[in-house]
Amino acid sequence: MWGHNGAGKTNILEALYLVSTLRSFRTADLKAMLRRGCEHARVELEAFDDELGLPTRLEVRIDRQTRSTRRSARVDGKLVRSAVDFYGRIQAVLFTPEDLGILRGSPSARRQFLDRVVFARERAHIGDVQVYDKLLRSRNRVLKAEPADMRASERARLLDTYDHGLADVGARIWTRRVELVEQLRRPFAAAFAQIHDREALASGSFEAGLRYLSRADPDASP
């Protein structure tokens, strides 16, 4: 896709990304995606569902209300209430200059980057991530609770419940991330070889690789 500056190329990409992931790659503020003076916006995409073998119509709406701005998604005109049921119907891969900061930024940014890739491959992953975040917030509230607000036995019981839930869901999340990195390892090395000094690569003095390091892996080392 090409066009003059200000022609709307980025707007088209943003619309495609929104209907693929339910989020913008430019802002987290839904109001910013509405044209000035407008109360509503809609992105509609007609596609073909390979799983069902039928054409389908995907739609994302943004509506400004009195106190908030809301987003909703529809498939063939029917409202979809869970993001898990909508996310991944259209697979999109986005790379922007800001993504280079993933290498220098925090580990959480790298985990989120991997999760976005897994989301497009397996819809169940987004549900597991949401459950994990909810369990973690609940556990942190218990830890911050004052002794006067909660008996020690109750605190221990709740923490044990949350720890078991985090371990169960976290194991599934960790496994999918590790599997993704392993599948990317060889293509990554091949792509690196195409853009770097082949003599240095052939001598083995300079190689590129990927590995998922986690405290959950007993064999991992810094």
Side-chain angles (χ1 to χ4, degrees), residues 47-58:
F48 188 84
D49 193 320
D50 291 330
E51 294 183 3
L52 298 177
L54 297 171
T56 185
R57 187 175 74 256
L58 307 179

Side-chain angles (χ1 to χ4, degrees), residues 2-220:
W2 64 275
H4 297 294
N5 290 341
K9 301 184 298 296
T10 304
N11 289 340
I12 293 176
L13 294 176
E14 184 178 29
L16 290 172
Y17 195 73
L18 177 65
V19 81
S20 301
T21 66
L22 294 175
R23 62 189 293 268
S24 167
F25 59 83
R26 295 197 292 183
T27 178
D29 185 2
L30 293 175
K31 297 189 296 294
M33 288 186 278
L34 292 173
R35 180 182 294 179
R36 183 177 300 175
C38 294
E39 302 297 323
H40 312 280
R42 182 182 69 183
V43 177
E44 187 175 312
L45 175 69
E46 292 186 0
F48 188 84
D49 193 320
D50 291 330
E51 294 183 3
L52 298 177
L54 297 171
T56 185
R57 187 175 74 256
L58 307 179
E59 180 183 350
V60 176
R61 297 181 184 179
I62 299 175
D63 299 290
R64 190 201 309 269
Q65 301 176 351
T66 304
R67 296 184 178 180
S68 63
T69 301
R70 296 184 178 276
R71 172 190 57 203
S72 61
R74 289 169 172 78
V75 177
D76 297 327
K78 297 180 180 179
L79 182 65
V80 178
R81 299 189 180 278
S82 173
V84 178
D85 295 331
F86 188 88
Y87 198 107
R89 290 176 181 268
I90 299 295
Q91 296 184 1
V93 177
L94 175 74
F95 181 80
T96 66
E98 290 75 17
D99 287 330
L100 294 174
I102 294 172
L103 301 176
R104 304 185 181 92
S106 65
S108 63
R110 289 187 283 276
R111 290 193 294 269
Q112 291 173 2
F113 180 80
L114 290 176
D115 285 338
R116 291 201 301 269
V117 179
V118 180
F119 288 162
R121 292 155 49 102
E122 189 169 347
R123 291 183 188 175
H125 190 69
I126 188 173
D128 282 342
V129 171
Q130 290 173 338
V131 170
Y132 187 90
D133 289 341
K134 183 178 180 179
L135 287 170
L136 188 61
R137 289 194 299 270
S138 298
R139 184 180 185 274
N140 289 340
R141 284 196 295 268
V142 172
L143 290 173
K144 294 177 181 178
E146 296 293 335
D149 299 331
M150 183 179 299
R151 296 192 304 271
S153 59
E154 179 68 9
R155 183 193 300 268
R157 184 186 66 79
L158 287 173
L159 288 177
D160 184 63
T161 300
Y162 290 138
D163 286 344
H164 278 83
L166 288 169
D168 182 43
V169 180
R172 294 198 297 269
I173 295 173
W174 175 80
T175 299
R176 295 189 193 111
R177 289 173 180 167
V178 171
E179 289 176 348
L180 173 64
V181 172
E182 179 60 25
Q183 291 171 6
L184 291 175
R185 187 171 56 83
R186 290 185 179 179
F188 176 80
F192 184 84
Q194 290 180 348
I195 62 175
H196 207 274
D197 185 354
R198 294 181 179 274
E199 293 183 2
L201 292 171
S203 66
S205 60
F206 194 49
E207 298 180 352
L210 291 176
R211 185 182 177 191
Y212 189 90
L213 295 179
S214 170
R215 285 177 294 181
D217 184 359
D219 299 325

